[in-house]
Amino acid sequence: MRKLIVHNIVSLDGYITGPGNNVMLLPMGDFFDAYCAERLGSADTLLLGKNSYDMFRGFWPGVVDMPEATEDQKEISRRDNEIQKVVVSDSITEADTAPWSDTTRIVRRKEAHEQIAELKQGDGGDIIMFGSRTLWNDLLQAGLVDELHLMVGPVVLGGGTTAFAEGEVPPLTLIDTRRSEGSDNLLLRYAVGNS
């Protein structure tokens, strides 16, 4: 059975975006990029909601060719371009998936739980989620998320979008912590209690 792993960066006060939905207020940096590249390296499916999918496909495809991009950023771009993607949305169409049309499958929201449960039963690497707060919170509450990897950045945003939506969160068990020299971020990896 494949694992569904959610990875996000969060502020000390629990926000995944700052005021005005500004994600750039979070201290991503080299450690965050390296861990994203690592997670993509062990995955063979990228699961996203529509907003994150649109943001990713608008940014990542060309990063591999940018001279100023770091090696980890180029690896994220390469993997994003190659990996199979599942986007959960009721409004997206195949015409909205370029330049990733050949590697994207659209799942409608009412079918999401069933389709993702089937994905998890298949063979292959991890299923990884970045961003996609509405979707991963829904899947977490539905018992479909296996691990939650939160990179905590040393910033207090005081407002924005909280990491967790309203509703009951299953028990979480800390399975690992990681630091990286030169970064003040801390990675916390949790197993979800019902996984």
Side-chain angles (χ1 to χ4, degrees), residues 12 25 61 64 69 77 79 107 125 152 155 157 166 169 176:
L12 281 174
L25 295 174
V64 68
S77 178
R79 289 293 296 145
V107 172
V152 180
V155 62
L157 297 179
E166 288 186 25
V169 175
D176 186 35

Side-chain angles (χ1 to χ4, degrees), residues 25-44:
L25 295 174
L26 291 157
M28 290 177 237
D30 293 342
F31 182 27
F32 181 74
D33 288 345
Y35 194 69
C36 289
E38 179 183 328
R39 290 277 37 106
L40 281 164
S42 69
D44 62 16

Side-chain angles (χ1 to χ4, degrees), residues 127-190:
I127 302 164
I128 187 74
M129 292 186 72
F130 302 115
S132 308
R133 179 221 188 236
T134 301
L135 178 60
W136 73 255
N137 271 273
D138 175 58
L139 298 177
L140 181 69
Q141 292 175 14
L144 291 168
V145 174
D146 297 289
E147 293 184 10
L148 186 57
H149 298 191
L150 297 176
M151 186 164 290
V152 180
V155 62
V156 175
L157 297 179
T161 305
T162 58
F164 293 94
E166 288 186 25
E168 189 173 334
V169 175
L172 303 174
T173 303
L174 185 66
I175 55 175
D176 186 35
T177 63
R178 189 186 303 181
R179 296 190 64 196
S180 179
E181 190 172 331
S183 174
D184 291 323
N185 289 354
L186 176 65
L187 177 67
L188 305 172
R189 293 179 50 214
Y190 294 94

Side-chain angles (χ1 to χ4, degrees), residues 15-96:
Y15 292 96
I16 58 168
T17 69
N21 207 31
N22 188 351
V23 71
M24 299 311 292
L25 295 174
L26 291 157
M28 290 177 237
D30 293 342
F31 182 27
F32 181 74
D33 288 345
Y35 194 69
C36 289
E38 179 183 328
R39 290 277 37 106
L40 281 164
S42 69
D44 62 16
T45 303
L46 178 59
L47 175 61
L48 299 166
K50 182 185 183 303
N51 292 340
S52 294
Y53 179 81
D54 284 343
M55 183 175 61
F56 281 29
R57 74 182 180 91
F59 177 76
W60 284 111
V63 171
V64 68
D65 298 319
M66 293 179 178
E68 68 275 19
T70 67
E71 286 307 309
D72 285 325
Q73 291 167 342
K74 290 179 181 182
E75 180 61 15
I76 292 168
S77 178
R78 272 191 290 274
R79 289 293 296 145
D80 279 348
N81 289 334
E82 298 167 355
I83 197 168
Q84 291 299 306
K85 288 162 279 292
V86 175
V87 57
V88 176
S89 171
D90 287 338
S91 61
I92 198 169
T93 67
E94 286 190 30
D96 300 322

